[in-house]
Amino acid sequence: MTLLETVSILFSAALTVSFVRNLRGGTLARDYKALRSLRGWAWVPALLGSWVTLAAILATGILLVTALPQVMGFSWLQLLATPEEAPSAGQNLALGGLRIPWFAWVFWALLMVNVPRLAMNEEIAFRKGHRGCRAVIWQSLKFGLAHCLVGIPLGFGFALTLGGLWFAANYLRGGLRRAAAVHTLYNWTVLGLAALWLAGVL
């Protein structure tokens, strides 16, 4: 087992423990309250907006990494990787559990259930109290680049600024709960694609 694989497994194990503790803590009802902010047809533009935002993030990230691979393709995980692993070392450690064959679907289910809590935590950290144009842009940039801490390449960190702006727009419109609800839909969209990948469809 390589160092990169070991780090990924240990990170996944820590997340799994956190997810299980949250389930045992009986806070699911509270975590899911934010979804009530999307009433009636509000689900439709929120979901469509999440799809468009995800497509824009992927396109922008790929463009940046392709244009400047040495810089925008850099992930700190490359420092841990073997020469064979280095080209594909950039990954989101938070999704590392999906790469463990015998555990992938269990991890996926735990992550799906815990998404509303994770989304709310990120909205509190990056959106709460920031309403001016400059503050929104700066917080959105920090939101994107913060994901580089879990291993995604720098180019995709910059691209995730678009996601931060989308969530910020919803925060300005409906507060933390609406932003967390839209953030949850976005993350569920990503995990929906991950499920297709696990099933061998993608």
Side-chain angles (χ1 to χ4, degrees), residues 52-198:
V52 171
T53 300
L54 176 59
I57 289 171
L58 292 175
T60 302
I62 292 171
L63 179 63
L64 290 173
V65 171
T66 302
L68 296 167
Q70 296 301 318
V71 178
M72 292 299 172
F74 175 77
S75 164
W76 68 270
L77 293 178
Q78 292 171 341
L79 302 176
L80 308 179
T82 64
E84 293 76 18
E85 292 174 321
S88 58
Q91 59 177 285
N92 188 338
L93 286 175
L95 300 178
L98 300 178
R99 296 175 179 268
I100 305 174
W102 51 270
F103 185 64
W105 282 108
V106 174
F107 185 84
W108 180 87
L110 287 172
L111 184 52
M112 281 286 288
V113 173
N114 278 271
V115 160
R117 174 176 66 97
L118 299 174
M120 178 58 82
N121 288 344
E122 288 192 345
E123 292 308 305
I124 291 173
F126 293 100
R127 241 68 64 187
K128 186 176 181 180
H130 299 283
R131 293 187 172 274
C133 181
R134 183 178 299 179
V136 165
I137 294 174
W138 176 238
Q139 289 301 117
S140 297
L141 178 61
K142 288 199 297 183
F143 166 80
L145 293 179
H147 287 76
C148 293
L149 296 176
V150 291
I152 72 167
L154 185 60
F156 281 93
F158 279 111
L160 276 167
T161 300
L162 299 175
L165 291 172
W166 167 238
F167 304 143
N170 282 277
Y171 170 69
L172 295 175
R173 182 178 179 183
L176 276 176
R177 284 193 172 186
R178 182 181 178 90
V182 173
H183 197 155
T184 295
L185 292 181
Y186 169 87
N187 285 347
W188 277 342
T189 298
V190 173
L191 289 176
L193 294 176
L196 294 177
W197 175 73
L198 287 175

